[in-house]
Amino acid sequence: MKAKNRDQSLSDSRELDGSYDQLTDSVEDDFELSTVCHRPESMDKLQEQTKFTKKELQVLYRGFKNECPSGVVNEESFKTIYSQFFPQGDSSMYAHFLFEAFDTNKNGSVSFEDFVFGLSIILRGTINDRLNWAFNLYDLNKDGCITKEEMLDIMKSIYDMMGKYTYPTMQDDAPREHVESFFQKMDRNKDGVVTIEEFIESCKKDENIMQSMQLFDNVI
Amino acid sequence: MAAGVAAWLPFARAAAIGWMPVANLPMPVAPTEKNKRQDELIILNVSGRRFQTWRNTLDRYPDTLLGSSEKEFFYNEETKEYFFDRDPDVFRSVLNFYRTGKLHYPRYECISSYDEELAFFGILPEIIGDCCYEEYKDRKRENAERLMDDQEDNKDAKLPNMTFRETMWRAFENPHTSTMALVFYYVTGFFIAVSVITNVVETVPCGSSPNMKEVPCGERYTVAFFCMDTACVMIFTVEYLMRLFAAPSRYRFMRSVMSIIDVVAILPYYIGLVMTDNEDVSGAFVTLRVFRVFRIFKFSRHSQGLRILGYTLKSCASELGFLLFSLTMAIIIFATVMFYAEKGSSSSKFTSIPASFWYTIVTMTTLGYGDMVPKTIAGKIFGSICSLSGVLVIALPVPVIVSNFSRIYHQNQRADKRRAQKVQKARLARIRISKTGSSNAFLHSKRNGLFNEALEFTQLPYKMNLSDQSSTEEEQRLNKSTSLLESQHHHLLHCLEKTTNHEFVDEQYYQQSYLDAGLQNYPSRSPSLSSQDGVTGTCCTRRSKKHHSPLPNASAPAHLQPLKHTHTHQQGLQELSTIHIQPLSTSRSSLNMRVDEQAPLNCQSSQITTAIISIPTPPVTTPEGDAPLPAGPTHQNVVKVSAL
């Protein structure tokens, strides 16, 4: 009986500091056990599958592993990393869309392979590849066409990154207007959605976009 | 820029692909890597111990010694390494900061040597991670106190040019500074003692004449006591007034505890002077006399220990409060129980619950006067439970208070908490400043970089005759060297600006332009593709790219003037304003006042036109040749400049 009383009092104290899980009758640790560790495929394989050289892969992996020692990025760290480049605004929404675009197998985390495949398309792909990737980014539900709502979400996320202190002062309907002009430009048959063909076609016709696509040639 | 994720900058720039198809404007030119080096290992030789790291790792923090070009001063040509004649142990922490992004403070390290190393390598101690920051701050504070103690001993030398008031204040606060102060200190101490003893002796029954009953001394020697009292109060009043005069901040002095005690100590006397010979109030007057006992608290100026005790009690307020609360609960419970238990017995002293309070208190504190005793059996049982529990209830909070006192006595003898709060605010302020530095860096480099590039273009029409030498010198002078990473990051932010057709500005400027925006009316939402004739009273929204940017030299308000604007619109969906440089009318000096916005994407454009906006609007010829403006390029303020 004495032992039981002692156990009882111990469990009472555990209840008090919240580490006692009522449902499972187990004491869960405050700190989770060490995280999942993911190792990427070998460099040779990655070199075949992407268009990066060995050195570039090395540089990329070093940076990747530094920020994410466990080998995968989850959405929270992804957002944190991306937000450090935009101190003035809120980049979490755009980072979320990016995460969705990079996470091709939809398992909630971006591994080094996903990361490098995405970068390979953007930085070393053809114009078509790049435009395809951008279309994939915009198409939030991956149904093959961009609706005005999807574009509005994307646009808002981009404008959020600017933050509050801009000139001229950010109007509330600036994203919406921008979306209108985008659809005017891209939506050829005026059916309210932009399909991949319309997108690629309109982009190819636009000099500015073509020129800006070339910026990505020497990012790395 | 956030240095810890410098390695992810290529990713961030790649992610910008999402902006390209939606942008309506051309993107700025990307910075090229002038000497594209592969990432190489560099060797840092610190007093013989060699550390190796990638060059990129060090480049993450460009505002430190190792990250900037300052380290070139330490480059040793023969051995091809960077030699630093510093402590290698501390350097380990410094280098780990570059590698991991977190600065740690090793506990075995002396605080001042660590500080020196950090200062040498240009790292702010505020970035120390939360895991080590407490320790660092504690050690630093201890060190500072130690230094301050040493300094105080040496501070006896009289500082020149101290006003009389300041000397007096110093004399009051540190009696050891001069003999006069010491004399004053002892005199006041003596008089406080005299006053207190007088108050006590006043009530002692002195010897009496046989026919009268014993009277207290106060009534027997009224005059003597009155004189004594007056003398003491005189001294105290003079002292208070002198302190009030000498205090640097009179308001703060008047609010301090010591001065309140002083006032309370001498007030009864004056009130008594005013109110004598009034029968009704003399009762109250007598009560006031009890406040004279507060004079004993004046001793706390003379005793450090008393002050610490007072401070401890103040800091243990929560524990004391808990003690009081639990005691009150127990008293009420037991008093109620005792009352109802003793209700039955006759001639019970427990006439009501409040009357039982006295019994409960006396029993719980184990005093046991015995003036109230339970007579029933139930009463005795509950009475014994009451006394047992009293011991427990009182014993529990007391060790907490005692430990508090000992902790405070040893640690915080100088009211450190107030200082710590100020330091915390300073720390946060400094971190905030260094963070806003990164966003300001972009604005700065924008001004400098684009200013420079626009100047390059202004040189084109004129510079035929001038030698190349001077132009390159000009460029070099204006070209502020930023690291490649920074320029890439700035290019990224610039692309975002282009995509959204808005600019980053700093907070100050935003407030000003916000105020000014109230003066301007924004037009209807419909975009106007055709150029507007004449001077319009409204300015367009972001469709027409008109924006101000603060000049490095000129004051911002000077550019926020015009209510009238002219805009030149290009035909077609992509509306751009154009830079126009009038070779004849604009001089170099006036062009220097212009603010440049965009770097031209295409350097081969033959003509660059500016939209010149000013109150007396000068003529501007655009490629389309419309938008007539009133003549007179007298006073030109270029509001914005952009290039095709």
Side-chain angles (χ1 to χ4, degrees), chain A residues 184-207:
Chain A
Q184 241 173 353
K185 193 165 54 161
M186 299 275 163
D187 190 7
R188 299 277 144 171
N189 53 0
K190 307 291 174 211
D191 58 353
V193 295
V194 176
T195 63
I196 178 88
E197 295 85 17
E198 289 175 340
F199 182 73
I200 296 189
E201 209 188 311
S202 319
C203 285
K204 284 199 166 157
K205 292 224 178 79
D206 187 331
E207 251 186 48

Side-chain angles (χ1 to χ4, degrees), chain A residues 62-63 66-67 78 84-85 88 94 98 102 119 138 151 159 162 164-168 177-178 208 212 216, chain B residues 2 4 7-8 11 13 15 18-19 21-22 39 54 60 489 499-500 502-505 510 525 547-548 574:
Chain A
R62 279 210 308 267
N66 221 2
E67 275 309 302
F78 196 85
Q84 304 210 21
F85 293 102
Q88 273 191 321
Y94 189 70
L98 279 179
F102 269 94
L119 280 188
Y138 296 149
M151 203 59 218
Y159 273 80
M162 289 296 292
K164 204 170 87 147
Y165 302 119
T166 60
Y167 188 88
E177 279 195 31
H178 205 147
N208 280 336
S212 55
F216 296 101
Chain B
W8 283 62
F11 157 71
R13 301 182 71 209
W19 311 339
V22 293
D39 198 10
W54 297 107
R60 283 184 199 163
H489 186 219
T499 311
T500 57
H502 287 64
E503 270 172 47
F504 287 110
V505 293
Y510 172 74
R525 292 287 157 237
H547 30 240
H548 293 212
Q574 289 172 1

